[in-house]
Amino acid sequence: MQTKYLLSTTAALVFTTSLAFAQDFRIGLAEDPDILDPDQSRTFVGRIVYAAMCDKLVDITPDLEIIPMLATGWEWSSDGMTLTMTLREDVTFHDGEPFNAEAVAYNINRSKTLDESRRKSEVASISGTNVVDEYTIEIMLANPDATLLAQFADRSGMMLSPKAAEEMGIGFGNAPVCAGPFSFTERVQQDRIVLTKFEDYWRADEINFDTVTYLPITDDTVRLANLRAGDVDMIERLAATDVASVQADDGLLLEQAVSLGYQGLTVNVANTDRSETPMGQDATVRRALSLAIDREVLNQVVFEGVFAPGNQPYPPTSPWYNSDFPVPARDVEAARALLAEAGAEGISVEVQVSTNPVAQQVVQVVQAMAAEAGINISIVAKEFATLLSEQTAGAFEISQIGWSGRVDPDGNIHQFMTCEGGINDSGYCNPEIDTLLNAARTSTDVATRKESYDAALAILQEEIPIIYLYHQTWIWAIDDAVAGYVPYPDGMIRLVGVSKTE
């Protein structure tokens, strides 16, 4: 049976009328992104910048429906082994090169073959492409892949100029060339990223700013102070403790959306010799640490109860959550018993965390709770890009980090838990998990996929390479002169249709 999705007026989002003037729009970010190459990058804030710079084959609505973007329509073959996409004919890259089926084929191949690509596991099901004509491409699969369209709604679907990518190689992220509403202008590490309106953008009449400037401001209090002072027009990830203050401020607007992701503790279990610790080598010790943590108290103390406690890649409200394993209550005595069983009473472990004050507060609360169970945590704060680099290299014991979440459940678990997963920083490898998560990718039946995920999560509750802590709510604070902003559960800032009055 064939399924189709074609561009229609009912699928389009309604945006505000373009203003007769344009301005600079300044956004305060909670961190500085890593490299701005969709194939190599991994940060949430990097994706925020991409939302203004790199259009994708498909996008999502605020209700998580997949809709056309650079692809105007698509059709699956009856056996689910071929995806045929029709493409927009009025798109050019920022360097003037044409967007067409050849460009799509190039991008898919780059994601699959670039040595540094973190997208390999996301497009692993693709066996090849066939350029049917200038604006039609067939994507052939080695096996049915229920996740592919959702992958194309994120970095795997972001289209880069083949000419620029070839010329710059792995240095592409230093001056990226995409096909979005804004083109790259400059970047000063830890200071700013500046993009300029692309006049030939296919929706240029819906872009109301000459430039957009992203300013990494890691301190939540300072970020909000910059908004109140008029130095930025918008900030992302407002601290939960500041929600009431912003709501009471007549000059500010507040927007929220429940996130798709999680925050937790990634344990190094087999990634370099830094994994050779009791915590890394013994799942019993990891379960003890998990039981020592009161997730509800953590949520109340750090986030005023705004976020949701969690113990899986998906929040308890998600249909993919395994209800057989509810969020555990804190049990210090049980934690002590597990440590005694493992012969690991009084162990010490190092936790790295970003310099973000809220992230540090999370780890400090965990540190205090763990100490009561006999686990001594030392905290090492690192600039976010450094933390990511060292986590990738395996230069850590435990790393406090999270994931912004994906539309399809596969995006929250496969690349972290499979042996060759692109972001498997813990080094965890269990062939049974690979089998279950790979099987979940091949079926379009929700119940069948749920069975595979449930079985995988049952194993991961025992082996626990990631200790999940909570699921955040995306919160934006915005100057009240801004209009047309629509919050999305992926946390991205989409600027099409957004305007600002003087």
Side-chain angles (χ1 to χ4, degrees), residues 9 43-44 65 100 136 161 237 306 338 379 400 443 477 488:
T9 56
T43 57
F44 172 71
E65 178 187 9
N100 51 31
T136 308
S161 165
R237 279 179 286 177
V306 173
L338 288 174
I379 300 172
Q400 193 288 306
S443 175
Y488 282 70

Side-chain angles (χ1 to χ4, degrees), residues 220 263 302 353-364 400 470:
D220 293 336
Q263 288 284 326
V302 183
V353 62
S354 77
T355 53
N356 179 286
V358 174
Q360 292 185 53
Q361 188 181 1
V362 167
V363 176
Q364 288 163 0
Q400 193 288 306
Y470 62 90

Side-chain angles (χ1 to χ4, degrees), residues 158-170:
M158 294 176 186
M159 294 291 103
L160 321 179
S161 165
K163 179 182 178 182
E166 280 296 294
E167 290 177 351
M168 290 187 277
I170 62 171

Side-chain angles (χ1 to χ4, degrees), residues 88-107:
R88 294 196 64 87
E89 300 181 13
D90 54 352
V91 177
T92 58
F93 290 104
H94 297 149
D95 59 359
E97 290 293 301
F99 168 75
N100 51 31
E102 291 282 0
V104 175
Y106 174 87
N107 274 269

Side-chain angles (χ1 to χ4, degrees), residues 245-266:
S245 172
V246 169
Q247 288 175 324
D249 191 327
D250 291 339
L252 299 178
L253 305 173
L254 185 81
E255 295 286 358
Q256 300 182 63
V258 177
S259 103
L260 303 171
Y262 65 81
Q263 288 284 326
L265 303 173
T266 295

Side-chain angles (χ1 to χ4, degrees), residues 73-86:
W74 52 88
E75 180 179 353
W76 284 103
S77 62
S78 58
D79 60 2
M81 298 289 283
T82 301
L83 173 64
T84 302
M85 304 192 95
T86 55

